[in-house]
């Protein structure tokens, strides 16, 4: 059974850092693009970052560029989101998602992903 499990969410002060992890089970990530999305209370889910199946291309929302870094370790079947210089506007539930896109050169921050995790809460507050 295809499953994604996020971890690493926490309460952190403004300016702090967190690393979110996404563990895949029931399938191997090699040919899948992975995206991170987030949803804040009262707001729609938005794309944060994605990485292509090849690992060669990454996309970031303008609001996180220069602060967040996505990476993948196919050998461990893991994807990570390093988040630095966090601010209260980053508070949200963060979801990882996967879509079958073998040999795709790019990834897209659109909600066409077919497998989703349950989410992990990130709260940025002093």
């Amino acid at each position: 059974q295809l499953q994604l499990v996020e971890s690493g969410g926490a309460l952190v002060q403004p300016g702090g850092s967190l690393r979110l992890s996404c563990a895949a089970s029931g399938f191997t990530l090699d040919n899948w693009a992975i995206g991170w999305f987030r949803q804040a209370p009262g707001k729609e889910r938005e794309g944060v970052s994605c990485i292509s199946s090849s690992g060669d291309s990454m996309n970031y929302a303008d609001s996180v560029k220069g602060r967040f870094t996505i990476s993948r370790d196919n050998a461990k079947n893991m994807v990570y989101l390093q988040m630095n210089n966090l601010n209260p506007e980053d508070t949200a539930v963060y979801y990882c998602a996967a879509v079958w896109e073998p040999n795709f050169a790019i990834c897209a921050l659109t909600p066409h992903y077919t497998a989703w995790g349950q989410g992990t809460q990130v709260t940025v507050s002093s």
Side-chain angles (χ1 to χ4, degrees):
Q1 182 178 355
L2 191 152
Q3 190 174 16
L4 297 169
V5 178
E6 304 93 337
S7 62
L11 170 64
V12 63
Q13 292 187 340
S17 298
L18 283 175
R19 188 176 83 154
L20 303 184
S21 299
C22 175
S25 62
F27 70 112
T28 55
L29 287 175
D30 301 56
N31 292 304
W32 296 71
I34 306 298
W36 282 98
F37 294 79
R38 67 186 181 185
Q39 188 165 19
K43 295 187 178 180
E44 293 186 355
R45 187 175 295 185
E46 64 170 343
V48 174
S49 180
C50 64
I51 185 166
S52 64
S53 58
S54 68
D56 294 333
S57 176
M58 288 79 79
N59 266 338
Y60 297 93
D62 288 343
S63 59
V64 307
K65 280 181 181 176
R67 300 188 298 122
F68 289 13
T69 303
I70 191 171
S71 61
R72 63 191 297 158
D73 185 340
N74 287 349
K76 295 183 178 180
N77 233 23
M78 297 286 293
V79 177
Y80 306 97
L81 185 68
Q82 178 66 42
M83 306 187 297
N84 297 328
N85 194 21
L86 287 160
N87 59 63
E89 289 70 39
D90 296 316
T91 295
V93 177
Y94 283 71
Y95 302 88
C96 69
V99 61
W100 174 260
E101 291 184 343
N103 301 315
F104 276 44
I106 61 173
C107 63
L109 284 173
T110 51
H112 66 291
Y113 292 73
T114 55
W116 292 80
Q118 294 298 309
T120 185
Q121 177 70 47
V122 172
T123 303
V124 185
S125 175
S126 55

